[in-house]
Amino acid sequence: MDSAKTFSKRALLWIFLVMALFVLAVDVAIYFGASVAAMKAVHTAADPDAAKAFSFVFENFSQVVVPVSVGAGLVFALLLWMIIRGLYVNAGVPEVAAAPKDEGPVVDPEVEKRNTRRTFLHLVSALQKEGRLIDFFNEDLSIYSDDQIGAAVRGIHENCVKTLGKYVSCGPVVDTPEGESITVEAGFNPEEIRLTGNVSGEPPFTGIVRHKGWKATKTEVPTLSEESNPDVLAPAEVELG
């Protein structure tokens, strides 16, 4: 169990790190791509509608593109971590032998696997119910204008953040503001603090906080009904005349 917890923490850290780098790369590409395309379209005057679209993305980059990309990155990172964690736990749990009475009840691996899957699908269902996230991911955005997409995404982002907050709350790993100096004492946890730059010698180390990190401060596992079908993420809606 200790190895499973350690793997789970490391996987979460790496997934969020990779997703953050990916979102940063996408945002930079969109920002410079939109700016270059907008200037090119304006100078050539070949396509006024394209110039307007690229200008909208460029001018509303921090209000629309960044929140959407960050929100989508967080959701994908969390879902990917839950999948990897479930696969690791299910693959690594050996067949459980009868445990002594003072060690508590024996956990059936099949029951744990089913509960992990139900919890994961419940989270996806909740994001669909409150934020219409599955509808958004399956929508063809090419038929909508940037104004329509920006207006829709704001509501999806707010509702999905509110829904995730019911199950997971995040807080900083360190309280020191970014850009200020901090001393890392001997015996620090490398899972919580990652040293970069010129790392040599032995702690304590003194450096500048570039990112305060994130850690889960609250997790709420919902109690799910055994009678409901977890595969139904959202029921079909039929309006009767």
Side-chain angles (χ1 to χ4, degrees):
M1 291 300 283
D2 289 339
S3 62
K5 291 181 179 178
T6 301
F7 174 83
S8 178
K9 292 179 180 178
R10 291 179 177 175
L12 180 62
L13 177 63
W14 279 106
I15 289 173
F16 272 103
L17 177 61
V18 172
M19 188 59 66
L21 294 175
F22 176 78
V23 170
L24 177 62
V26 170
D27 285 349
V28 170
I30 293 176
Y31 182 85
F32 287 103
S35 63
V36 172
M39 289 188 293
K40 183 177 180 181
V42 169
H43 290 311
T44 58
D47 192 347
D49 292 334
K52 182 179 179 181
F54 286 123
S55 297
F56 173 84
V57 174
F58 180 72
E59 295 170 1
N60 297 273
F61 182 80
S62 61
Q63 290 80 15
V64 176
V65 177
V66 172
V68 171
S69 59
V70 172
L74 288 175
V75 171
F76 276 116
L78 181 60
L79 295 180
L80 181 60
W81 171 72
M82 293 184 67
I83 294 174
I84 294 177
R85 178 178 179 274
L87 292 175
Y88 178 83
V89 171
N90 296 332
V93 174
E95 188 151 344
V96 178
K101 293 184 178 179
D102 58 352
E103 293 184 3
V106 177
V107 179
D108 187 344
E110 290 300 321
V111 173
E112 185 176 10
K113 179 179 180 180
R114 184 173 70 250
N115 290 339
T116 300
R117 180 175 181 274
R118 290 178 64 87
T119 303
F120 167 72
L121 293 177
H122 174 77
L123 176 60
V124 177
S125 176
L127 292 172
Q128 163 62 20
K129 180 179 179 181
E130 301 296 335
R132 298 287 184 177
L133 187 65
I134 300 178
D135 291 344
F136 175 72
F137 286 154
N138 287 276
E139 191 71 38
D140 181 10
L141 299 183
S142 63
I143 64 177
Y144 300 104
S145 67
D146 292 327
D147 292 337
Q148 292 174 315
I149 296 174
V153 166
R154 188 178 301 277
I156 295 173
H157 177 263
E158 292 176 353
N159 291 330
C160 286
V161 169
K162 186 186 302 181
T163 301
L164 284 176
K166 296 179 181 179
Y167 304 105
V168 180
S169 294
C170 298
V173 175
V174 297
D175 295 327
T176 304
E178 294 178 1
E180 294 191 6
S181 177
I182 188 175
T183 299
V184 181
E185 302 292 346
F188 71 95
N189 187 347
E191 293 183 356
E192 296 183 350
I193 300 178
R194 182 168 61 91
L195 302 177
T196 61
N198 185 18
V199 181
S200 61
E202 298 294 331
F205 300 110
T206 300
I208 303 298
V209 177
R210 297 306 181 191
H211 191 282
K212 294 191 294 184
W214 292 107
K215 64 180 178 180
T217 57
K218 182 200 74 172
T219 54
E220 294 290 342
V221 179
T223 301
L224 306 177
S225 172
E226 290 292 338
E227 298 178 358
S228 62
N229 184 359
D231 293 328
V232 180
L233 302 179
E237 299 178 7
V238 179
E239 181 179 358
L240 304 181

